[in-house]
């Protein structure tokens, strides 16, 4: 290469992030410091460098622009004297105040709506985000484990191990089905804890059960299946999610023995999504007769989507093997770490009948080219080292105490309520007598600082009024106070 | 609660992962050790506990089953004497050999196809996975930075900081648009390095540009826009991705000044996807006139999807500001860390015109409920601490040396080749004279152990034969050897 080109390269290599796109050629000869100061003032004014933001080191910016360091130092000095920036030693030069600028209207974050507005009879897809955004002193929203127990030290240790051994090529694009290490670990986990024997190559790593449902909706839709029966009562979130993927979700009743398979068969719907190990929200376990009926229905051609969302959390009853173990060619199986570790990890797994595998893999590739690699490998490390099982034992111990605390509090403050599904899971359901509108009760409870979900959210057809109460993430004291608040809201209603 | 129930709870809380779903009630009285040994033998035989897998500590399993520890110890002793398991001190009891079992056929991982089969004229959506799976000694596939430079120590340090300060609630479900910290960091990054002034609340965090395209395809499709013009030559992957989301991708020619805006206008297509800062694969920069023409076209109602895929990597030319900075209401802007850090992180960002924002957020929620939180916060830490800019400077220094090494090697081994787009990016393009079929050249080159992409992959209409060569991820020696191999394959062809 020519000497000139080499110099150009050498100069450009320190260009950092093309700071503000400054090009010294625009500067008037002799007025470079003024010019630079003016450009910087403008950048501060229009927020391109926000208050709290850092300016490049004078050495770097000087090299970027191909000017003497003195020019940059002088420009920085002007802004310092004007009180816009300040030197913070190793923190570099920091913006402390922006010059006045023509105010540009910026969309303010949506203000939290009034509690009443949060519990409409037919909530929209953004309802969970809206409720999450609402402020409350005690959150009894179901669906999360004790997040204070997240094994931060184990996670960091596993991440160190992963980063120490990872091959550089593994930072590139990978298999859309997931990393082999995690697929092996998940297969072993499912074999040991859920009675499912599966070859690791059949495991598809996904971004949680919600993504799994989206992928299945696309694949089944393409196969002409645009109706998936769901449990009633059953998860509002699951129903909304499937509907958003243009899948109809006709309701099938759930009674004390689980899904009414006779109703399913009579409906003629080709596929069903259910939670057999611990039905959401009722907590019912699909009993032996119903399992046999459902297996017969599937053997006759029915497709089952098994959401094994909190099967590992059982307290006073024997384990319930997954349906997938019995009917690998008729059952789609979805699980995740959302209830084992944290929803924020967005990692789950999906098993599909062989004939649908290629289409599901293609859908996952189209979705995002596959999950991020580092968290997969960290999770594999936690699963194989035994750290995840230790964590699960710890969670169970805490969850049982909290479950018991909630049952005690309900007996004290809401003796009229009937408690359902407390033998497992992260939540329980209560039903209440009378003509009560549980959406209004949830709103009144939130107005008193406690978040709960109305049972009616999760019902497509008329059902008893009630509430779905998560206990796993709250302390016994919070649970006691939360339940007392529900009772107070109920009395005042 | 009743004493009985409490005991049940106490016993069940140590149940670990419901190991093998063993229920002691099934055991014959007096024969519990035999029964347990038989169950374990079966589990080893059918692979539910794989070789290398661990058995629970005797204390835990005894508590799980509600039997004396002696029963478990005796069962383990039998399997130890049979040579199936062994005690490994702190590692616990490990499976070292499985008893014979009826062999179950497991799908073998697909064997890598022959090089010839890998470069068909019309490759399918799985072509990139197939090529990735093919073995090669030198990989000149374009699109990845120097992955050996990934800042592992910085990443781990940032992760420690994040885990030390994260609130427990942040491990729960979050904002589908991403964590505020990363959205602020990205907004500041875009302002400083790409001349885009954007409010952090407008930044949507996505799982890479590929997910961004899928979200936009869904939203624009719902708005009646099912055709998006693309550059020709232009990325095969982008075209396949949009087609998979049921969007037509009519070609618009690219010449030495960039996209032929006159052709775009004549086509009547309402939207265009392009790479203005460094066109893929040609490396052309959209020049001033064309930018003005494109801006006029957009002001008249045209929609632009700006893929800013490697804008930060420029060497011998001034920075090119993003189109988004000029036309925030007509330009969708997508970027990611795939070329800055690693594709395996699957993190990117998307800016959309205000009128499309709500629909895009809903699409992201339906896709996966939002990106995982920990990697977002780690990335935000790297962006705000300056570590990412340091890393980018390091990458530039290496990439320039490798770019120069490739130019030198091409001059030596392929003097007849014309080199395009070497002033920026992670790859360059060469075109060759004559009637050559570049797919066959790529196949012949892979047969000699070197992966390259045929230019024809990225062309919808007849174009000069050529190759797209990535240099950023390879050493000067590998580059020299790889180019020499291409030349040898060309001579032998």
């Amino acid at each position: 290469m020519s000497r000139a080109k080499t110099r150009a390269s050498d100069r450009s290599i320190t260009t950092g992030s093309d700071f503000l796109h400054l090009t010294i050629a625009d500067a008037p000869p002799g007025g470079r410091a003024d010019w630079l100061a003016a450009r910087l003032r403008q950048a501060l004014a229009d927020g391109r460098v926000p208050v709290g933001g850092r300016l490049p080191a004078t050495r770097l910016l000087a090299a970027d622009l191909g000017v003497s360091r003195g020019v940059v130092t002088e420009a920085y000095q002007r802004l310092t004297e004007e009180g816009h920036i300040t030197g913070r030693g190793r923190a570099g030069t920091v913006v402390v105040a922006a010059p006045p600028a023509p105010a540009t209207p910026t969309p303010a974050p949506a203000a939290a709506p009034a509690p009443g507005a949060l519990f409409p009879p037919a909530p929209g897809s953004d309802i969970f985000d809206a409720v999450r955004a609402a402020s409350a002193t005690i959150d009894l929203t179901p669906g999360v484990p004790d997040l204070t127990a997240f094994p931060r030290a184990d996670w960091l240790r596993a991440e160190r191990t992963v980063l120490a051994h990872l091959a550089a090529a593994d930072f590139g694009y990978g298999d859309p089905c997931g990393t082999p290490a995690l697929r092996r670990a998940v297969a072993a986990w499912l074999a040991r804890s859920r009675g499912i024997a599966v070859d690791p190559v059949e495991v598809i790593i996904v971004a949680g059960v919600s993504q799994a449902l989206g992928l299945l909706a696309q694949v089944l839709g393409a196969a002409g299946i645009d109706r998936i029966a769901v449990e009633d009562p059953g998860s509002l979130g699951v129903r909304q999610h499937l509907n958003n993927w243009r899948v109809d979700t006709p309701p099938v009743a759930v009674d004390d023995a689980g899904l009414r398979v006779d109703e399913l068969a009579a409906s003629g719907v080709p596929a069903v999504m259910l939670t057999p190990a611990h039905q959401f929200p009722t907590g019912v376990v699909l009993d032996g007769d119903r399992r046999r009926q459902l297996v017969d229905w599937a053997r006759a051609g029915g497709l089952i989507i098994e959401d094994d969302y909190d099967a590992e959390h059982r307290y006073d009853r024997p384990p319930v093997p997954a349906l997938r173990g019995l009917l690998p060619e008729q059952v789609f199986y979805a699980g995740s770490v959302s209830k084992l570790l944290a929803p924020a990890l967005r990692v789950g797994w999906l098993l599909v009948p062989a004939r649908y595998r290629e289409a599901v893999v293609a859908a996952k590739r189209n979705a995002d080219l596959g999950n991020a690699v580092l968290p997969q490998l960290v999770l594999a490390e936690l699963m194989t080292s035994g750290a995840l099982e230790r964590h699960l034992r710890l969670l169970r111990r805490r969850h049982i105490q909290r479950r018991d605390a909630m049952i005690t509090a309900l007996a004290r403050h809401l003796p009229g309520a009937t408690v359902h599904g407390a033998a497992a899971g992260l939540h329980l359901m209560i039903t209440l007598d009378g003509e009560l509108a549980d959406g209004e009760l949830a709103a009144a409870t939130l107005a008193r600082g406690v978040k709960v979900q109305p049972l009616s959210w999760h019902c497509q057809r008329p059902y008893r009024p009630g509430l779905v109460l998560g206990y796993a993430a709250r302390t016994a004291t919070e649970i006691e106070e939360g339940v007392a608040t529900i009772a107070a809201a109920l009395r005042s209603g």
Side-chain angles (χ1 to χ4, degrees), chain A:
Chain A
M1 293 173 65
S2 75
R3 177 173 299 274
K5 191 156 189 191
T6 311
R7 265 208 310 283
S9 307
D10 293 347
R11 195 162 61 238
S12 61
I13 59 179
T14 55
T15 304
S17 58
D18 296 330
F19 185 68
L20 303 177
H21 287 186
L22 297 172
T23 317
I24 199 64
D26 306 342
R32 291 177 159 186
D34 292 331
W35 169 84
L36 180 56
R39 292 291 168 291
L40 292 172
R41 221 174 272 117
Q42 182 54 39
L44 268 52
D46 61 24
R48 272 176 296 157
V49 186
V51 171
R54 287 163 54 259
L55 298 184
T58 52
R59 178 182 51 77
L60 290 178
L61 187 52
D64 291 356
L65 297 172
V67 300
S68 76
R69 192 166 175 182
V71 169
V72 179
T73 314
E74 187 181 340
Y76 279 19
Q77 187 53 36
R78 306 260 177 88
L79 273 71
T80 307
E81 288 160 359
E82 296 162 4
H84 295 133
I85 64 176
T86 176
R88 290 255 174 94
R90 287 190 62 260
T93 306
V94 178
V95 179
V96 289
T104 52
T106 62
L118 279 177
F119 299 96
S125 297
D126 57 352
I127 186 66
F128 294 104
D129 292 335
V131 170
R132 194 177 309 118
S135 66
T137 51
I138 299 174
D139 187 349
L140 297 181
T141 302
V144 288
D146 178 4
L147 298 174
T148 65
F150 185 87
R152 302 182 187 216
D154 287 338
W155 185 274
L156 191 62
R157 199 175 304 114
E159 178 115 22
R160 182 183 298 109
T161 306
V162 166
L163 284 169
H165 298 98
L166 194 59
D170 292 333
F171 285 111
Y173 293 95
D175 186 331
C177 296
T179 58
L182 181 57
R183 294 160 78 190
R184 280 194 302 273
V186 167
W189 178 269
L190 293 176
R192 298 181 60 188
S193 70
R194 303 298 298 125
I196 297 173
V198 60
D199 188 301
V201 302
E202 292 177 41
V203 175
I204 301 170
I205 302 302
V206 294
V209 170
S210 63
Q211 182 179 56
L213 291 181
L215 300 179
L216 295 184
Q218 294 172 66
V219 167
L220 293 178
I225 299 173
D226 58 1
R227 291 184 309 154
I228 299 176
V230 296
E231 299 162 313
D232 187 32
S235 165
L236 169 66
V238 164
R239 198 165 77 238
Q240 285 181 336
H241 204 68
L242 289 172
N243 295 159
N244 287 332
W245 283 103
R246 293 174 296 284
V247 172
D248 279 349
T249 52
V252 174
V254 170
D255 62 21
D256 294 349
L259 186 84
R260 286 282 304 277
V261 180
D262 55 341
E263 230 186 69
L264 171 64
S267 73
V269 180
V272 64
M273 154 109 199
L274 76 168
T275 52
H278 184 243
Q279 202 271 335
F280 186 92
T282 67
V284 168
V285 177
L286 192 70
D287 81 3
D289 287 345
R290 294 289 173 83
R291 280 175 73 91
R292 278 184 286 279
Q293 294 171 26
L294 188 63
V295 165
D296 291 343
W297 175 83
R299 289 223 166 92
L303 289 175
I304 296 171
I305 301 173
E306 179 174 29
D307 179 0
D308 208 26
Y309 75 108
D310 70 358
E312 294 89 350
H313 301 282
R314 59 171 201 87
Y315 312 126
D316 324 309
R317 57 164 177 78
V320 182
L323 291 168
R324 165 79 190 190
L326 302 173
L327 286 173
E329 287 315 309
Q330 291 304 111
V331 177
F332 298 85
Y333 176 92
S336 85
V337 296
S338 295
K339 313 286 184 282
L340 282 172
L341 282 166
L345 296 177
R346 310 308 308 128
V347 177
W349 38 85
L350 177 61
L351 308 179
V352 307
R355 62 192 183 284
Y356 289 103
R357 191 157 186 294
E358 196 176 325
V360 172
V361 172
K364 173 60 175 170
R365 183 189 297 113
N366 295 343
D368 53 22
L369 300 184
N371 273 44
V373 166
L374 287 180
Q376 288 187 73
L377 293 173
V378 172
L379 183 56
E381 180 74 16
L382 294 179
M383 282 179 145
T384 49
S385 70
L388 187 57
E389 275 183 64
R390 278 197 307 277
H391 177 64
L392 180 55
R393 283 194 293 273
L394 166 69
L395 282 185
R396 280 188 163 143
R397 220 170 295 124
R398 290 198 185 182
H399 289 172
I400 284 191
Q401 291 160 358
R402 293 170 173 198
R403 186 273 313 262
D404 294 349
M406 183 168 271
I407 289 174
T408 310
L410 287 166
R412 178 180 306 129
H413 300 289
L414 286 169
T418 311
V419 176
H420 308 258
L426 309 173
H427 76 276
L428 52 74
M429 176 178 97
I430 62 170
T431 50
L432 302 158
D433 298 332
E435 285 309 297
L436 177 76
D438 56 20
E440 289 170 20
L441 175 58
T445 306
L446 180 56
R448 293 162 181 262
V450 177
K451 265 184 221 180
V452 297
Q453 281 185 2
L455 175 55
S456 55
W457 267 14
H458 303 290
C459 302
Q460 295 196 64
R461 298 175 296 195
Y463 197 80
R464 282 164 287 172
L467 298 174
V468 186
L469 305 174
Y471 52 75
R474 301 279 76 91
T475 65
T477 318
E478 291 172 315
I479 288 168
E480 161 73 18
E481 188 181 333
V483 171
T485 304
I486 296 169
L490 188 59
R491 279 193 304 275
S492 73

